[in-house]
Every structure is written in C-alpha cells, then in structure tokens.
Amino acid sequence: MTAALVTGASRGIGRAIALRLALDGVAVAINYAKNEAAAVAVAEKILQAGGRARPFRAEVGDAAQVEEMYRGIESWIGPVLIVVNNAGLLYAGSVDRYSADEFDAMVKTNVNGVINCTRAAVAGMRAARDGRIVNISSIAAAGTSAAGTTYYAATKGAVETLTRRFALELGPSGIRVNAVAPGFVVTDMVDALGTPEERAARLANMASRAVLGRVGTPEDIAEAVAFLASDSARFISGQILAVDGGRTDYLSH
Ligand code: NAP
C-alpha cells in the first residue's frame, strides 16, 4: 500500500486531501501540530471507510521533530512515497503593519516545513525511484489585489521557488515535485481574519473575482492534489497549478 504524509491534515484543506488520498487506496499519515482530537477524528473517518491512517504530531518547522515523525511513519507503514506539504500559517501584514516575530513564525512553518518534510522523505523515495511531492502554495504568491497578506505571500513565493528547484534536483531520481496554488477557500485560516461583517464582505468580494462566481472548498483543492500525486500525472514536474475558480485580479501574469 502506498504511504502518504499530509502535513496539517487535522483541519481545512489538509483534512480534505487526506480523505481524498485515502479514496485512492493510499495509507495516510495525518500530521498535526496542536489539535490532536481533530487529527484522530480524520484518521478514524478513514479507518471506518476501510482505509489506513494514523495521526502523527510534529511541528513541521522543527527538523528534529520531522525526522522523528518519519521514523514513526516508516515503522508503521514503510517508506513515504507521497508527501503533501500543506501545513501553513497566515498572519496579516502590510508595509505599515509588520511583526518580525509573525514573519519568522510563517517562514518556519510555510518554508522550513517544506524543506524539512522534503529532505526527510528523499532517502526512501530515491531507494524506490518513485516519489510525488505536492506543495501547497497560494495564488497570493503570484500577486493579487487582496491586500494585507504581503509577508504570507512572500513565504508562498519561496514555496514556489523551492518547488521548481526541488523538481530540478530530484527529477533524475524519479521524484516529481509540483505545487497547487489555491484561491480563496473557506477554512479556519481565512475565517480568523476580521469581524463577521468583514468576513462576509470578503467572501462576496472573492466570489465575484472568480470567473466561476464562487469561492473554493477544501475538496476542490484535494482533487487537484490527488491528481498530481497519482500516476496520471507521471510526466508532470516543476509545475504550479492554480486552483482558484479563474481569479481575475492578479497584478501580474
Ligand atoms: P487551516 O484551516 O488554518 O489549517 C492549518 C493546518 O495546518 C492545521 O491542520 C494545523 O494543525 C496545521 N499546522 C499549522 N502549523 C503547523 C505546524 N507548524 N506543523 C504542523 N502542522 C501545522 O489552514 P488551511 O486554510 O486549510 O490551509 C492549508 C494550506 O493551504 C496552507 O498552506 C495555506 O497557506 C494554504 N492556502 C489556503 C488558502 C485558503 O483560502 N484557506 C488559500 C491559499 C493557500 P493544528 O490543527 O494542529 O493546529
């Protein structure tokens, strides 16, 4: 049974990715940082449907914790051939509102997390000459008119550069590296920003900016990730796939 690690799989987009990969017959390690009960619930949902899953706690920005997590996963199920680097953190920020501590925290989870989880996986993938890594970026990296997420966007720019560079380095070993860049998806991450009135206005605004006229669901993103992690995408590497309902508000491209 192919084994996958989905980071930040206790909630939101990561949870939907874990459930979707399980439908493809993949055994899923459900990573989380704090919310153990939610991670256990995701694993139980997969088990009840006849799949295999187990929760694993680790702060992805901490290399030692990530290595320990991989040892745990490998002794449970064998080498991890699918890694979905989904765990992410967002703090609002702009030229006028900058916190060095918040930026450091975002870099640690969003960027170091991708590096740590990729580096820990490559030995097993190289031995198998098969690996599929899918990083979760954001259309924020491409430049969008949704203001106030400037430093978060910078961390996602780094994720996209790492996606292309790791694809270059790991391709000769049969390892594919791609990214999915979601548009606006309703999860705890975006629900935490602003008052209820501000949230409702943001939702309507974001829906109006997508040619499909709606915001995304975690399941919309999970379908694209499952494709990139599957054999159907066997000749695809180094790509950033925007899954955003056709957003029309980019500043560039
Ligand atoms: P979310 O609802 O806030 O969930 C975040 C998940 O990441 C949780 O499972 C959380 O675990 C985990 N996590 C956070 N920090 C972690 C760490 N240091 N180590 C391990 N796990 C950690 O977020 P989401 O909206 O689903 O976002 C998922 C990904 O999509 C992120 O990379 C985000 O940047 C990206 N994205 C989201 C949107 C959107 O509109 N929602 C748009 C573009 C991109 P706990 O439950 O244990 O806290």
Side-chain angles (χ1 to χ4, degrees):
M1 196 173 199
T2 304
L5 164 65
V6 181
T7 68
S10 47
R11 295 184 280 124
I13 292 171
R15 175 182 184 276
I17 294 168
L19 296 175
R20 179 62 187 78
L21 289 178
L23 289 181
D24 284 344
V26 170
V28 193
I30 310 289
N31 164 256
Y32 67 101
K34 299 189 182 93
N35 205 333
E36 183 176 15
V40 168
V42 176
E44 276 173 1
K45 197 169 159 70
I46 291 171
L47 292 175
Q48 278 160 15
R52 295 191 72 177
R54 193 180 280 192
F56 289 89
R57 204 201 82 78
E59 287 276 346
V60 294
D62 182 321
Q65 289 187 29
V66 167
E67 279 158 26
E68 195 187 329
M69 171 174 69
Y70 268 85
R71 282 194 289 276
I73 299 170
E74 285 176 3
S75 65
W76 166 54
I77 198 81
V80 177
L81 298 187
I82 299 173
V83 176
V84 182
N85 285 308
N86 164 82
L89 199 58
L90 183 157
Y91 291 109
S94 63
V95 171
D96 295 322
R97 188 200 174 286
Y98 173 69
S99 156
D101 286 346
E102 288 177 355
F103 184 56
D104 288 350
M106 286 193 291
V107 170
K108 195 169 179 202
T109 294
N110 301 0
V111 184
N112 294 54
V114 171
I115 296 169
N116 293 336
C117 292
T118 301
R119 293 190 70 245
V122 291
M125 290 179 173
R126 280 180 170 137
R129 289 203 60 79
D130 182 8
R132 305 104 191 262
I133 298 171
V134 184
N135 298 326
I136 306 301
S137 178
S138 166
I139 59 164
T144 159
S145 64
T149 56
T150 298
Y151 305 111
Y152 166 80
T155 68
K156 293 300 188 176
V159 169
E160 295 194 357
T161 300
L162 287 169
T163 299
R164 295 191 180 97
R165 300 301 305 212
F166 285 160
L168 177 72
E169 289 188 48
L170 298 174
S173 303
I175 301 168
R176 300 187 291 102
V177 188
N178 292 290
V180 167
F184 190 90
V185 179
V186 182
T187 65
D188 294 344
M189 176 176 279
V190 294
D191 249 10
L193 298 173
T195 64
E197 294 73 29
E198 284 167 347
R199 290 204 289 274
R202 188 184 316 113
L203 213 105
N205 181 34
M206 291 300 160
S208 75
R209 285 164 187 269
V211 295
L212 295 179
R214 67 171 177 89
V215 296
T217 64
E219 291 72 24
D220 292 331
I221 308 307
E223 289 296 336
V225 173
F227 166 66
L228 288 172
S230 75
D231 282 336
S232 300
R234 61 190 168 271
F235 200 48
I236 301 176
S237 195
Q239 299 303 304
I240 316 291
L241 177 60
V243 182
D244 64 354
R247 278 277 287 276
T248 56
D249 58 342
Y250 297 108
L251 292 179
S252 59
H253 83 259

